[in-house]
Structures are given as structure tokens and as C-alpha cells.
Amino acid sequence: MRVSSPIFFALSFVLLIVNADYQPPLNRRSLSQRDGHSHHAHKGAPLLVLNETEVTMHHAPTPPSYYTIDWEEEGYQSRYPGLMIFHGIFMSLAFFVALPIGIALRSVNHAAHYMATLAFYGCCALGCFASGLYRKVTPNMYEGAVHSKQGYVVILAAVSLSALDIFTTIRRIIDFCRGPDKSFKSFWRYVVKKEVRLEAGPEYSGIVTEEPEEYEFNRESVELQEVCLNNASEQRTEQWANAVHHHRRHYSLASEGTLLGSSPRHSQDTFQNAKARRILAHSGRLRQLAKGTFAVLERALVMAGFAQLLLGIVTYSGGCRSNYQNGCLAHLIKGGIFWCYGLLTFARFLGSFADLGWAWNLSPSGNFYTAEFTESFVIFLYGLTNTWMERFGAKAGDPFTTKQIQHISIAVMFCFAGLVGMGIESKRIRNWLASSTFASSTHAEDMPREAVVEPLSYMGSFNPFPALVIGVTGAAMAAHAQTYLFQVQIHALWGNLLVAFGVLRCLTYFFLWLGPPRSILPSRPPTEALGSFFLACGGLVFMFSTEEVTIAAMRRGRDDVMMFLNVAVALTCFAFCWTLFVVGFKGWVKSRTQVAVTYRNAA
Ligand SMILES: *[C@@H]1O[C@H](CO)[C@@H](O)[C@H](O)[C@H]1NC(C)=O
């Protein structure tokens, strides 16, 4: 019964929000009409059928595109849709299959990552060949398209990362040739798998070879202690905060033990040696930073591939030209961000970033920025930049339109809610906030011991501000005025999907607040699986709600909300499958090459 009452509460909360938010689109329209705003200063109820005269009043007529000559125009001579399909398939294989597999293999220094890199370039070459051929045999249907130019920039970035990789390999080959051990086994381990370090020179010998192993060992022992302590604390049902306090003390003792004479050999070492160690530690940190930057850039390539995919679809379908461009950019960029954010959140649910404590688990390494801090920071940054962007098109002294005020105030909300979110993630600020407890004449020593230990809820980050921001954005966009009823419905659809994410994220915190994570293993809150689904799906429908797409759908009699929703849901499920494959593959490779985490069943 203890569990069922919060569930009951939560469900009534959801029902309340869903009901409160629901309004027939027509009513919503008549509400927004009163403040005199509409997309094209169009007054009256949203139109049911497309009025071509009305469309051409605001936009240039849509010229034919690669899509129309390939599929729609009857009797057109040079149609080669096959080449374009080939291009799409091979570029997708390169960026969404070979590249993630390569990243996963590289993360464990698996020798097969060279194969994945070769497959990536092979697919890229085939894909580019097909598109080159296509452009030779079809007329140019899109003046000033940037898809191919930008594509070469992305591939150039990939090539420079590979060049960096080749450079380190060459350096390792040179090191290897200088080293004493010239066996094939050593070559494989040092050059191909980039595993062990060779002895660098006489003055550092004995340190260089020992350092990494010792470090690994120590780290492992700390992690082991952590797991043991977790279990011990569970068994003794001791306050969690206490256990962590103990654990921290053990941690510092353990690290002191290594630094100061863990073995008699080291205690005899001279000042020179300590200095060498410090330099080594420093270069180790630099190497770590370089490795991290490389990893981030490599993952950014997947995102760049996604941007290229969108741009390719735009170019092929001939959209986003002349004065459609701004709205198009806004929808595709923001929708794309929500889509990627949803997939990333699902990856976190699956256990990605558990090493940083971002999978709703205890951070095994401590003191990293929390996921909530990162989310709030991105939200803050987005608000900061977008506050000014809305007026880019306006001259100084132009009156603020209703639409501008709507969008600017959303950006201002992002900015300040992001700041609040960052603030309450700061441990220092949280300590300041807690200090008001002792402002009066309270004496901590008079209190019973349980009353002064940290509450269980201090263990996790319970920060509803990112969810609040996205939920409110969704609710606002669900009420966005549009010229056509179909556009209103599509906006309401993705707005409500974002609201659903906000509600479900709050439920995650609700349940985790009752039972904070006590393990370093990912805790997989089911509300997050649902929430990330709604977020990604909302982002996709956001992209579908681009004015030109909705007009094209109405022109072809495809203005059906359920069809749009189902297509978005199907694509989201496909992308979730892909995410599961990527995260699962990485875990599989890792569990095969490294000592796996031993699960302990709770007694
Ligand atoms: C289409 O829009 C134009 C311009 O707003 C208007 O004059 C015309 O009456 C509309 N046609 C229909 C069928 O509503």
C-alpha cells in the first residue's frame, strides 16, 4: 500500500494536466484571435481547406524539385530516383552504422575499429559517387544548395580526426621501433591496441611502466570498496549519508596510501622522482583531456550526419527557399534539438553516461557535473542567445509584434529557469541554503543523531526546472495560432508531446525522491523511457509542423493528423531501436574486453 498511494497521486496528477490542457482547436483559435495576432495577420477561424491565393500572397510559388521530377512529373525523361536512394542508404550506413560502431570499438581500443573506419570511408565514397552521378544526369533543381558543400566539410572533419589518429599511430610505431621489445605481440598491444606504454627512457624507467597499472588497481579497489560499502550500508540499514561519509574517508585514505609510500621502494625515492611523477600525472590529465575532446568530436560527427540528412531531404524536396527559409530553419533546428535530446535521454535510460552518474545512478567517479546541471546550462545558453534572435529581422523602433513577445518571453524563461536550474545543482549554493537551519539558537549537538545527518534526498539531483521549461514550451506551442486548422492541430500535437515529457520527467523525480538510487548501476526509471519517447517524437512532429510541409500535405490531400502522428511514432521507434543497438553494442564490446561489473543480488 505504501507504493500504491504515490502512484494513485501521480495518475490523478497526469489526468488533471491532460484534461486541463485539452481544448478543441477551434476554441483555442478564438481565444488567440482576441489579441489580434495570427501567423500572417490573418483574422478569423483557422481555415479548413488550402486557399492557394492566400498562400501565394505571402510566399513565392514552390518551383519543381528533384522530388517532383523523380516521382510526380508524368513523362519526364531523366528520372533516376534509384541513384538518390542508393546515396541515402550508403550515407546512412556510413554515419549511423559504421561510425557509431567505430566509436564503440575505439572506446575500448578494439583493433577492429580500423575496419569500422574503413567501412565508414567506403560507404561515404559509394554514397558520394551515387550523388555525383545523379547530379550529372539531372538538371540543377535547387539553386544555391549547401547540402553537398557542407557534406564535404563534414567528411573533411572526419578525415582530420582520422589523420590525428594516424599521426598517433605513427608516433607509436616510432616509439615501438626505439623500444627494446620488438616482438609481434608487443607491436599488437602497443601499436594496434594502443594498450601498454613502453619504457620511455632510462630516467623514467620504473615509473612509466608501473604508473598506469597501479592507478588502475587503486581505482578498482576504490570502486570495490564503494560496492562493498553500499551493500554493508544496506545490510545494517544505516543512514545512506553516513555510509557515503565513511566511503569518502576510505577513499582519501586509499589515495594517500598510494601517494605516500605504498611500497618501500617508493618511499626511498628522491625528490626527483616525485617531480617526475607530478609531470607524469599532469601529462596523464592532458592526455585524458585530449582523448575526451577527440571522443566528443567523433560523436559530434554523428550529429553532423543527422544535420546533413535533414539538409539532404530539404534539398531533394525543394523546400526552405526564399521567405520560407527562416521558419524552416527555426523548425528544423529546434525540432532536431528536441529529437536528439530525446534519443540522448533514452540512451541515458539505457545506461549511457553511467560513469558520470547521468543514468539516474550514483556517480562512481564523483564530482562530475550532474546531468541536470548540463541540461540547465544548455537551456540557459539557448535562452541567452534566442532572446536577441527574434528581433534580427526587425529595424530599431519597430513595434514588438505579439508573435515576437510570445517567442522572446519563452527565450527569457529558458534563460532564467536555466540559471535557477544551474544554481540549485551547485553543492556550494545548496550548503548555503541549508545553513539557514542553524541561524537561530539551534545546537546541533543537542539534536538526536538522525536529525542532523543529510536527508536521503541529498544523494540525488532533483531538479524539475529543465522539465518545467520544456513542458511550458509545449503547452505554449499547443496554443500557437496558425492560418490553417491542420497546422493548429499539428502544433497542438507536438506541444502536448512535450508536455507529456515534462510530466513524466517530474514523475521520475517524484519516485526517485522517495527512493534515491543507491547503486552505481543505471537505475532505469520507466518514466524516463516513456518521457524520452515523447520528447523525441515531439521533436519529430515539431519538424513536420514546418509551414511548407503542412502546406504540401494539404495540397496533396494528406492533411491527416493521425497519419503524421503514426509516422512520427514509427520513426521514433525505429530510432529507439537504433539507440538500443548502439548502446547495447558498446556494452557488449566492453563486457567482452574488460572485466565486467559483477552484479550482486540484494539479499
Ligand atoms: C482565398 O484568399 C483570398 C485572399 O485572402 C480571398 O480573397 C479569397 O476569397 C479566398 N478564397 C476562398 C475560397 O476562401
Side-chain angles (χ1 to χ4, degrees):
M1 284 321 284
R2 232 194 83 237
V3 184
S4 64
S5 53
I7 290 178
F8 176 74
F9 171 78
L11 281 181
S12 16
F13 182 61
V14 174
L15 285 178
L16 196 76
I17 289 208
V18 168
N19 279 330
D21 187 58
Y22 182 72
Q23 269 181 353
L26 278 170
N27 285 1
R28 202 178 277 140
R29 171 64 205 189
S30 56
L31 279 180
S32 60
Q33 207 184 315
R34 233 180 291 141
D35 67 9
H37 160 73
S38 121
H39 208 65
H40 292 155
H42 169 94
K43 304 214 174 190
L47 304 175
L48 296 177
V49 283
L50 191 69
N51 180 343
E52 292 287 353
T53 324
E54 207 268 350
V55 172
T56 42
M57 267 168 61
H58 304 288
H59 298 291
T62 308
S65 63
Y66 292 112
Y67 171 78
T68 56
I69 66 166
D70 273 353
W71 301 94
E72 290 190 335
E73 220 158 294
E74 293 295 326
Y76 196 82
Q77 287 307 306
S78 57
R79 53 170 78 195
Y80 299 95
L83 282 174
M84 218 4 91
I85 293 174
F86 189 90
H87 170 71
I89 289 177
F90 275 89
M91 294 318 270
S92 301
L93 281 179
F95 277 89
F96 306 128
V97 180
L99 186 59
I101 286 181
I103 292 172
L105 289 172
R106 178 200 292 284
S107 71
V108 292
N109 282 337
H110 198 289
H113 87 251
Y114 294 107
M115 301 287 293
T117 309
L118 279 181
F120 170 75
Y121 286 117
C123 288
C124 277
L126 282 175
C128 290
F129 172 74
S131 65
L133 204 60
Y134 179 85
R135 281 162 53 99
K136 280 268 183 307
V137 295
T138 49
N140 185 1
M141 304 302 289
Y142 202 117
E143 284 301 329
V146 289
H147 174 73
S148 62
K149 249 179 265 160
Q150 205 161 296
Y152 288 123
V153 171
V154 173
I155 291 178
L156 194 70
V159 169
S160 11
L161 283 183
S162 297
L164 221 69
D165 207 25
I166 292 170
F167 175 73
T168 49
T169 307
I170 290 176
R171 221 193 54 208
R172 275 180 174 258
I173 291 177
I174 293 172
D175 273 4
F176 172 78
C177 292
R178 285 209 194 124
D181 184 4
K182 294 219 166 43
S183 64
F184 177 72
K185 193 172 159 234
S186 151
F187 177 82
W188 183 258
R189 289 185 70 191
Y190 181 70
V191 177
V192 180
K193 302 200 75 181
K194 302 196 164 76
E195 220 169 46
V196 281
R197 308 171 85 192
L198 289 185
E199 294 174 23
E203 67 268 40
Y204 292 122
S205 66
I207 307 165
V208 184
T209 43
E210 271 166 35
E211 187 81 13
E213 281 164 38
E214 198 172 56
Y215 170 71
E216 289 300 328
F217 168 74
N218 193 41
R219 201 186 147 88
E220 253 167 43
S221 75
V222 166
E223 275 169 13
L224 262 181
Q225 268 175 4
E226 196 154 13
V227 172
C228 293
L229 270 161
N230 280 358
N231 283 356
S233 72
E234 261 161 36
Q235 278 157 14
R236 281 176 285 152
T237 59
E238 202 179 292
Q239 278 288 348
W240 175 240
N242 257 355
V244 168
H245 177 68
H246 277 294
H247 149 235
R248 290 223 177 101
R249 224 176 45 209
H250 278 255
Y251 190 101
S252 59
L253 278 181
S255 43
E256 267 166 28
T258 349
L259 287 178
L260 315 169
S262 61
S263 70
R265 207 162 19 103
H266 284 161
S267 55
Q268 288 159 13
D269 280 344
T270 53
F271 172 73
Q272 194 80 35
N273 206 335
K275 197 171 155 194
R277 278 168 159 273
R278 225 173 302 134
I279 291 169
L280 266 173
H282 190 67
S283 75
R285 228 170 295 140
L286 271 183
R287 247 163 48 104
Q288 210 68 27
L289 191 73
K291 253 179 116 171
T293 314
F294 190 93
V296 168
L297 287 178
E298 213 175 18
R299 283 153 181 76
L301 277 182
V302 182
M303 297 269 193
F306 173 64
Q308 274 303 106
L309 171 67
L310 288 184
L311 207 54
I313 293 172
V314 166
T315 310
Y316 189 68
S317 62
C320 300
R321 283 185 260 200
S322 58
N323 62 346
Y324 277 121
Q325 197 180 13
N326 284 343
C328 199
L329 278 179
H331 277 85
L332 292 186
I333 291 177
K334 294 173 193 178
I337 288 174
F338 282 127
W339 165 257
C340 293
Y341 183 17
L343 293 188
L344 267 178
T345 309
F346 182 60
R348 280 174 59 199
F349 164 79
L350 294 175
S352 292
F353 310 108
D355 51 336
L356 307 179
W358 287 9
W360 296 279
N361 59 335
L362 282 188
S363 168
S365 42
N367 65 33
F368 267 100
Y369 289 114
T370 59
E372 285 75 11
F373 181 87
T374 315
E375 282 179 340
S376 302
F377 177 67
V378 173
I379 284 171
F380 165 72
L381 215 61
Y382 176 90
L384 201 64
T385 48
N386 267 255
T387 306
W388 315 109
M389 277 187 190
E390 198 59 35
R391 291 282 286 178
F392 273 0
K395 290 180 213 65
D398 275 2
F400 282 78
T401 64
T402 311
K403 189 178 164 216
Q404 281 167 0
I405 294 174
Q406 285 172 344
H407 289 195
I408 289 172
S409 43
I410 285 186
V412 170
M413 169 186 75
F414 268 70
C415 185
F416 287 107
L419 266 184
V420 175
M422 279 154 73
I424 62 175
E425 281 306 305
S426 155
K427 292 229 164 62
R428 176 171 304 170
I429 291 181
R430 276 196 237 160
N431 283 343
W432 291 345
L433 296 176
S435 70
S436 66
T437 318
F438 298 103
S440 58
S441 56
T442 330
H443 294 293
E445 57 271 21
D446 297 343
M447 291 285 180
R449 204 170 140 271
E450 308 87 73
V452 287
V453 295
E454 287 191 343
L456 272 164
S457 59
Y458 279 32
M459 282 313 302
S461 292
F462 303 103
N463 192 336
F465 283 93
L468 176 85
V469 166
I470 290 169
V472 169
T473 308
M477 296 315 283
H480 203 298
Q482 302 289 325
T483 315
Y484 293 98
L485 178 63
F486 177 61
Q487 294 172 329
V488 172
Q489 288 170 333
I490 291 287
H491 276 79
L493 178 60
W494 67 259
N496 287 334
L497 285 168
L498 294 194
V499 171
F501 163 76
V503 172
L504 283 160
R505 170 57 67 81
C506 289
L507 283 181
T508 303
Y509 291 136
F510 182 81
F511 290 119
L512 287 189
W513 195 76
L514 293 178
R518 289 157 159 259
S519 161
I520 58 168
L521 298 174
S523 70
R524 303 189 190 125
T527 44
E528 277 307 313
L530 287 176
S532 58
F533 185 85
F534 288 138
L535 184 56
C537 195
L540 196 55
V541 181
F542 192 164
M543 290 191 266
F544 287 164
S545 71
T546 309
E547 195 179 7
E548 232 177 340
V549 176
T550 55
I551 288 178
M554 285 189 276
R555 227 170 241 161
R556 291 166 174 78
R558 302 271 191 187
D559 48 339
D560 187 281
V561 180
M562 183 174 160
M563 185 189 81
F564 270 68
L565 173 65
N566 291 2
V567 168
V569 164
L571 287 177
T572 311
C573 286
F574 175 69
F576 267 36
C577 232
W578 173 79
T579 312
L580 177 61
F581 163 74
V582 171
V583 178
F585 179 78
K586 187 175 173 192
W588 177 69
V589 171
K590 212 164 188 169
S591 69
R592 272 174 58 97
T593 51
Q594 293 173 359
V595 187
V597 185
T598 352
Y599 288 79
R600 291 169 196 230
N601 294 324

